[in-house]
């Protein structure tokens, strides 16, 4: 039906937007050496296109799961995310305006964030500088975003994505728990355990890892099918958990 076709088109549009956001978020993680198993507090998705944001608001949990962030926030104001600035694109402006390009560059650097965002949304603006007026297109300037402290920011078209990279103790503990789960699962596989085999699990490590195990005990046990997680001195496989040496011993329960 026509209604079904429209709905399918909307779903395709939603998934394209979500995919764009996820790809941008993954790139930000990679660029900032943020391991995918390390949970992060928040991802902001900002766009001037409110309709675009409304389309994906109901699917924010998909983004949160794909990027391992606890919260995804949509909005139309990037003031809290990055400081905007602009400078002349001398490659395009030089041939057009010759020596006046320096005047244009000076004028561009005086534009405030709201003016720059309007500029991005349009095609040309009239820029007054040094007693002259210049018509400048969006291709003639380079808009830069300097992220606020603790954030990583990327733009693509109408989308601005900002990842909060700051870690508190709870996030660090969850990251260690996830790394531990990965190592135990790999050890289970190496020892040819069945997927349904329950195990006894012993961990020997420093205080920070012990705190992580205590805080996420239920989660760890459920993921690796452990009857209990004991933090005691033990022999076994020694691995690196985000810079913390950890010895793991497992046996069938």
């Amino acid at each position: 039906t026509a209604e079904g076709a429209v709905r399918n088109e909307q779903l395709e549009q939603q998934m394209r937007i979500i995919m764009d956001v996820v790809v941008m978020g993954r790139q930000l993680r990679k660029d900032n050496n943020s391991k995918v198993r390390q949970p992060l507090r928040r991802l902001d998705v900002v766009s001037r296109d409110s309709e675009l944001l409304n389309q994906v608001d109901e699917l924010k949990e998909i983004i949160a799961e794909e990027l391992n962030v606890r919260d995804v926030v949509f909005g139309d104001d990037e003031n809290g995310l990055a400081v905007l600035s602009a400078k002349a694109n001398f490659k395009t402006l030089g041939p057009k305006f010759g020596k006046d390009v320096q005047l244009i560059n000076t004028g561009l650097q005086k534009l405030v964030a709201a003016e720059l965002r309007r500029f991005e949304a349009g095609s040309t603006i009239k820029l007054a500088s040094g007693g002259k007026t210049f018509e400048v297109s969006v291709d003639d300037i380079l808009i830069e975003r300097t992220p606020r402290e603790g954030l990583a920011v990327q733009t693509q078209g109408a989308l601005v994505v900002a990842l909060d990279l700051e870690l508190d103790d709870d996030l660090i503990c969850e990251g260690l728990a996830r790394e531990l789960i990965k190592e135990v699962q790999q050890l289970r596989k190496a020892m040819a355990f069945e997927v349904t085999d329950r195990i006894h699990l012993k961990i020997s490590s420093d205080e920070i890892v012990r705190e992580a195990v205590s805080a996420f005990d239920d989660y760890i046990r459920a993921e690796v099918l452990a009857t209990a997680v004991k933090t005691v001195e033990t022999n076994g496989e020694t691995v690196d958990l985000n810079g913390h040496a950890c010895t793991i011993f497992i046996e069938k329960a």
Side-chain angles (χ1 to χ4, degrees):
T1 66
E3 184 177 337
V6 170
R7 180 57 181 161
N8 286 338
E9 186 177 340
Q10 288 176 337
L11 285 172
E12 288 178 7
Q13 171 82 352
Q14 286 176 323
M15 295 313 297
R16 280 196 298 270
I17 297 166
I18 286 172
M19 204 61 209
D20 286 343
V21 171
V22 169
V23 169
M24 293 164 73
R26 285 175 178 165
Q27 188 62 49
L28 287 174
R29 271 191 175 272
K30 182 179 179 181
D31 292 345
N32 291 276
N33 299 314
S34 176
K35 291 186 175 181
V36 293
R37 274 180 291 277
Q38 172 60 61
L40 296 175
R41 184 183 299 110
R42 171 170 168 152
L43 178 83
D44 282 273
V45 182
V46 174
S47 177
R48 299 181 300 273
D49 187 344
S50 58
E51 184 178 340
L52 179 149
L53 294 179
N54 290 336
Q55 287 179 358
V56 295
D57 184 67
E58 64 191 62
L59 301 175
K60 64 171 64 177
E61 289 183 7
I62 296 175
I63 298 172
E65 184 175 349
E66 288 292 327
L67 293 176
N68 193 15
V69 295
R70 291 183 175 177
D71 195 18
V72 177
V73 180
F74 295 116
D76 59 4
D77 183 4
E78 63 175 299
N79 281 336
L81 307 179
V83 177
L84 268 66
S85 60
K87 60 183 180 182
N89 182 350
F90 291 98
K91 287 184 179 179
T92 62
L93 284 173
K96 293 180 185 178
F97 297 104
K99 63 182 181 181
D100 284 337
V101 72
Q102 290 297 343
L103 285 177
I104 296 172
N105 194 45
T106 300
L108 289 172
Q109 291 175 4
K110 294 178 181 178
L111 294 178
V112 298
E115 292 172 314
L116 290 173
R117 282 194 290 274
R118 285 198 297 271
F119 196 6
E120 278 188 313
S123 56
T124 62
I125 64 165
K126 286 184 167 55
L127 181 72
S129 180
K132 297 183 178 182
T133 301
F134 307 95
E135 189 169 284
V136 183
S137 77
V138 70
D139 295 328
D140 293 328
I141 74 168
L142 302 172
I143 294 180
E144 298 178 340
R145 286 172 168 82
T146 303
R148 305 285 185 184
E149 187 175 356
L151 297 181
V153 178
Q154 187 173 11
T155 63
Q156 178 179 302
L159 285 172
V160 180
V161 169
L163 197 58
D164 186 345
L165 298 171
E166 290 190 350
L167 300 177
D168 58 22
D169 290 345
D170 187 47
L171 289 168
I172 290 169
C173 280
E174 186 178 345
L176 288 168
R178 286 174 177 257
E179 290 289 339
L180 174 61
I181 288 167
K182 180 205 74 170
E183 296 292 348
V184 173
Q185 299 289 37
Q186 288 182 346
L187 192 53
R188 284 180 60 111
K189 186 176 180 180
M191 296 174 69
F193 285 8
E194 295 292 334
V195 175
T196 54
D197 285 341
R198 301 195 68 81
I199 62 171
H200 296 307
L201 173 60
K202 295 179 181 178
I203 304 293
S204 176
S205 190
D206 60 25
E207 183 179 355
I208 294 175
V209 172
R210 292 197 299 272
E211 287 177 0
V213 170
S214 176
F216 290 90
D217 179 82
D218 291 344
Y219 174 52
I220 295 168
R221 287 191 293 109
E223 289 294 313
V224 303
L225 295 185
T227 57
V229 185
K230 296 183 178 180
T231 51
V232 295
E233 288 299 319
T234 185
N235 296 319
E237 184 82 10
T238 299
V239 298
D240 180 278
L241 300 183
N242 295 345
H244 301 269
C246 178
T247 302
I248 303 170
F249 172 82
I250 68 172
E251 63 182 355
K252 287 185 182 180

